Amino acid sequence: QVQLVESGGGLVRPGGSLRLSCAASGIIFSTKMGWYRQTPGKQRELVALNTGGASTNYADSVKGRFTISRDNAKNTVYLQMNSLKPEDTAVYYCYVRGRMMTTPWDDYWGQGTQVTVSS
């Protein structure tokens, strides 16, 4: 059973910081790990993605403020968010492309964690 457990969301003031964590259980092998976000009426958009090693992709709107990292030994991906802005408010979803020992590669999503940036 694959389960992605997210934590770290909450309410912060503009300019503040927050760190999201996502632990993926049941996945033995993984390639891509990252974060997407979504607001009502909008498509889910890429925030930050690690595609293996030091290869990362960031949305232009968060570049320089957000940092993605991963701990493969713990099957955990993190998103450090600094200098938060109100427009960062969204539900953030953890994403992992991986597989168990006997399953095909597949895409997995967390349940989402709310991040609200407001004064």
Side-chain angles (χ1 to χ4, degrees):
Q1 180 179 335
V2 175
Q3 186 176 19
L4 275 56
V5 180
E6 304 175 36
S7 63
L11 173 65
V12 296
R13 292 182 171 83
S17 298
L18 203 63
R19 190 177 80 145
L20 305 182
S21 299
C22 174
S25 63
I27 295 178
I28 305 300
F29 306 102
S30 64
T31 54
K32 300 177 182 179
M33 301 185 75
W35 296 90
Y36 290 70
R37 67 186 181 187
Q38 187 170 25
T39 56
K42 297 182 179 180
Q43 295 186 54
R44 188 173 298 182
E45 66 173 352
L46 172 71
V47 177
L49 185 68
N50 178 276
T51 57
S55 298
T56 58
N57 296 105
Y58 293 95
D60 289 339
S61 60
V62 308
K63 192 171 296 184
R65 300 187 297 118
F66 291 10
T67 303
I68 187 172
S69 61
R70 62 192 289 181
D71 186 336
N72 290 326
K74 298 180 179 179
N75 283 331
T76 301
V77 61
Y78 306 92
L79 184 67
Q80 179 66 46
M81 304 184 291
N82 298 326
S83 302
L84 283 162
K85 304 175 180 179
E87 49 263 45
D88 294 318
T89 297
V91 177
Y92 285 70
Y93 295 90
C94 176
Y95 164 79
V96 176
R97 181 166 180 82
R99 67 177 179 92
M100 295 179 284
M101 184 66 69
T102 59
T103 64
W105 292 95
D106 205 356
D107 299 316
Y108 299 93
W109 296 91
Q111 78 284 356
T113 184
Q114 178 71 46
V115 172
T116 301
V117 185
S118 179
S119 60

